[in-house]
Amino acid sequence: MYRFLLTPRWWGINLFVVLAIPFCVFMGTWQLGRFEDRVQSHEQAEKAPDPSTRAAKPLDALLPVDKVTSGRPATATGTYADQFLVPGRKLEDREGFYVLNMLRTDSGKALPVVRGWLPGSATDARVPAAPKGEVTVTGDLQASENTHSDGVNVRGGLPSGQVGMISAATLVNLVPYDVYDAWVTLPEAEAGGTGGAMKPVPAAAPEGSGLDLKAFQNLGYTGEWFVFAAFVLFMWFRLVRREAEAERDIALGLVPEEAAAEAADPAAETPDAAEGAPKDAPEDPSSPDYDVASTPVR
């Protein structure tokens, strides 16, 4: 009854099923592994001490920024240079902007320093002046932002003196010197009261260390891949059962073989359909060869 499984058509179906099910299972397992990795990273981040409570280290000793060094206090010495405003940043559910200054270090590179946050619009805003002369700053280290970071403005078209993303790739096009691929945020108002009106910007958790939306997306993709595998197996079983029932009906004489073949290939035309109407079909009475009494004219 199941000899049809060895036909060329079924060889193709069976090969597809054999390849599709392991692929779906593999992809589902991989997505599940990604979710478990994010859960593990989140648990480790909760158990680890607050990075900001650790001893401050020189900036170069903490680079490049990763999940371990993100949030660690970093120290750098230099003089403040260019200043930029970063609009569209929220703090305590209030709209405002960051005040960002470039700290020129002895190495020649500049470190972006977020001196604080101010409420309102960045356009025509009055910002406290940065300290003059050589200063040593200690701030929480952060990785350069990207297009997926919160608050980033990727639309462009900002006025002069404003920037939508705190990133070395963006800032290096606005200043005539090299920029560190990192930035720091000051945990306290600047000494001397020049930044007293600004609020400190808390350091953000490193990407991939929490149970964010991406983690639950991985869990959702896991379920989808396993559902796909089950669907492929269900459809194969259904097709096999339908074909076996047709073979059984033919063997019992319940369905003629021609009817079964026509049901299997509904696109096939019967000889009469291909040649037109039957030859013995009556002629149209409205034909000119008929008289009024519908009698053939000889």
Side-chain angles (χ1 to χ4, degrees), residues 12-223:
I13 296 176
N14 295 335
L15 180 62
F16 172 78
V17 172
V18 169
L19 296 178
I21 292 179
F23 176 77
C24 292
V25 173
F26 169 78
M27 292 300 298
T29 305
W30 179 73
Q31 290 288 351
L32 182 60
R34 293 289 303 274
F35 173 74
E36 292 177 346
D37 290 342
R38 292 181 182 274
V39 172
Q40 185 177 5
S41 298
H42 176 67
E43 293 177 349
Q44 292 177 351
E46 287 186 338
K47 294 179 181 179
D50 188 355
S52 61
T53 61
R54 299 182 181 181
K57 287 187 176 183
L59 173 65
D60 293 331
L62 298 176
L63 296 179
V65 184
D66 54 22
K67 292 182 180 180
V68 177
T69 60
S70 179
R72 291 280 300 272
T75 60
T77 301
T79 56
Y80 282 119
D82 297 271
Q83 178 173 281
F84 299 96
L85 304 182
V86 188
R89 300 304 175 104
K90 288 186 176 182
L91 185 64
E92 299 175 354
D93 293 332
R94 297 179 62 190
E95 291 288 346
F97 58 93
Y98 293 166
V99 179
L100 174 70
N101 283 82
M102 307 299 293
L103 183 71
R104 295 287 303 273
T105 64
D106 295 336
S107 65
K109 299 178 70 174
L111 173 66
V113 178
V114 174
R115 294 169 49 220
W117 173 90
L118 287 173
S121 174
T123 304
D124 299 329
R126 299 182 62 182
V127 179
K132 297 184 179 298
E134 188 176 78
V135 295
T136 298
V137 299
T138 301
D140 297 333
L141 188 64
Q142 300 280 269
S144 292
E145 295 180 333
N146 54 57
T147 55
H148 301 291
S149 301
D150 293 337
V152 167
N153 182 356
V154 296
R155 293 173 297 179
L158 294 175
S160 177
Q162 297 186 21
V163 63
M165 181 189 305
I166 307 175
S167 169
T170 301
L171 294 169
V172 75
N173 297 319
L174 303 177
V175 294
Y177 40 79
D178 291 335
V179 180
Y180 280 103
D181 189 17
W183 58 283
V184 298
T185 174
L186 301 183
E188 298 178 357
E190 295 170 343
T194 56
M198 295 187 293
K199 291 186 177 183
V201 176
E207 291 187 4
S209 61
L211 293 180
D212 53 6
L213 180 60
K214 291 183 179 179
F216 293 102
Q217 284 180 342
N218 292 135
L219 187 61
Y221 294 151
T222 299

Side-chain angles (χ1 to χ4, degrees), residues 229-251:
F231 178 76
V232 171
L233 185 61
F234 167 75
M235 290 303 299
W236 179 85
F237 177 77
R238 183 176 180 181
L239 290 175
V240 170
R241 183 178 178 182
R242 181 179 178 181
E243 190 85 4
E245 290 177 350
E247 292 285 341
R248 183 192 60 187
D249 291 344
I250 293 175

Side-chain angles (χ1 to χ4, degrees), residues 252-263:
L252 296 176
L254 300 178
V255 179
E257 295 187 8
E258 294 79 2
E262 182 179 349

